[in-house]
Amino acid sequence: MSRPAAGRRGGDARLGVNPITCRAHGLCAELLPELIGLDEWGYPILAASPVPPQLLEMARDAVAACPTLALRLSGAR
Amino acid sequence: MSQQVLWYISRGTGMVSLLLLSTTMVLGALTGGRFAHASWPRFTVSGLHRSMSLVGLGFVGAHVATAVIDSYAGIGWLDVLVPFTSVYRPLWLGLGAIAFDLVVALVATSLMRPRIDPRGWRIVHWAAYACWPLAVAHGLGAGPADARLTWVLAVNAGCVLAVVVAVTWRATASHPDTVARGGGGW
Ligand code: SF4
């Protein structure tokens, strides 16, 4: 999974959500509306595209803020 | 004289700890119930919950340390961690010792959250509902002279009211996720 060279450009970083542990707290959508929306029940809908480098920091914040640790960022360095 | 100062600091930081821990409880219940408002987004509520708990632990630490360093009541370091061993008001200090152990466990597991089993974290986090009442009882019982003061009682009553209202709201708040999980998953 870790490809540092690509990760540095941010091209590889992707958000993922664990649907079992996600309890629809919706913090992630508040912190990263650029990439995360909420469905009608409050569960996140993630953008299919990779996380652009300029949003990486905010994506990390959203991951850290999730009360259930359901949101993950993979492939980012 | 300096000893008196320590004793006063201990009582003062104890009161501030009550306010901070109660605020943490309210914010935690709001987070668990998924409270959200346009001017109070969820990351504000949960962010404040996290920072208040850390400031609270700081004041609890100062409260405990000054109580031990001050020799007036003869409280030892072990009495702080092991309940009911103190010679000074063993019952009420014991409740405080349990509450202290729980606060440390709550904060430690939260800081290690990404590295431990989330279920373990959740179980420990439920202990907050045992920790907070113990802390309130400790405050009222360990400082009987202070607890007779009207304003101290008023602060305690305010904290209890705020936490009871927030927890009741959380317990009754309906959310698609709680419904989908049969009401059992806060
Ligand atoms: S913050 Fe976490 S629990 Fe809340 S919607 Fe996002 S992924 Fe789910």
Side-chain angles (χ1 to χ4, degrees):
Chain A
M1 276 306 277
S2 66
R3 281 151 58 190
R8 195 172 281 279
R9 292 201 313 272
D12 248 350
R14 277 178 195 277
L15 284 169
V17 68
N18 180 334
I20 307 291
T21 51
C22 170
R23 292 289 177 92
H25 277 272
L27 272 88
C28 52
E30 286 177 349
L31 288 168
L32 196 60
E34 293 87 345
L35 297 176
I36 305 175
L38 295 181
D39 68 14
E40 58 183 299
W41 299 282
Y43 293 98
I45 305 168
L46 307 180
S49 52
V51 180
Q54 68 272 19
L55 290 181
L56 262 184
E57 209 42 54
M58 285 167 70
R60 287 201 184 91
D61 287 349
V63 167
C66 172
T68 65
L69 292 175
L71 192 68
R72 295 287 181 183
L73 188 66
S74 58
R77 260 177 46 83
Chain B
M1 177 60 206
S2 75
Q3 300 222 325
Q4 262 192 4
V5 171
L6 280 175
W7 191 236
Y8 282 125
I9 292 176
S10 189
R11 289 153 67 191
T13 48
M15 278 298 288
V16 179
S17 300
L18 170 70
L19 283 167
L20 290 168
L21 295 184
S22 302
T23 311
T24 304
M25 282 294 290
V26 169
L27 292 165
L30 292 181
T31 300
R34 296 159 183 74
F35 172 87
H37 187 266
S39 57
W40 269 80
R42 302 180 214 222
F43 62 83
T44 312
V45 178
S46 86
L48 265 179
H49 170 66
R50 291 179 186 188
S51 35
M52 279 292 169
S53 67
L54 290 177
V55 181
L57 179 64
F59 271 88
V60 170
H63 166 64
V64 166
T66 44
V68 174
I69 296 168
D70 176 79
S71 54
Y72 170 68
I75 303 165
W77 287 109
L78 207 61
D79 304 335
V80 167
L81 297 169
V82 186
F84 314 122
T85 49
S86 156
V87 278
Y88 175 80
R89 301 184 195 281
L91 171 66
W92 301 113
L93 247 69
L95 299 184
I98 302 174
F100 178 65
D101 292 339
L102 290 176
V103 164
V104 170
L106 280 157
V107 174
T109 49
S110 289
L111 292 175
M112 296 187 304
R113 214 167 62 112
R115 286 178 291 279
I116 59 175
D117 179 12
R119 273 171 305 179
W121 173 83
R122 273 171 64 81
I123 291 168
V124 174
H125 228 70
W126 279 106
Y129 285 102
C131 172
W132 180 80
L134 288 174
V136 174
H138 157 78
L140 290 173
D146 290 345
R148 269 199 295 272
L149 300 171
T150 313
W151 71 268
V152 172
L153 281 176
V155 169
N156 273 274
C159 288
V160 170
L161 184 68
V163 171
V164 166
V165 168
V167 171
T168 308
W169 173 80
R170 178 194 182 168
T172 52
S174 176
H175 181 275
D177 188 71
T178 36
V179 175
R181 289 172 201 265
W186 277 11

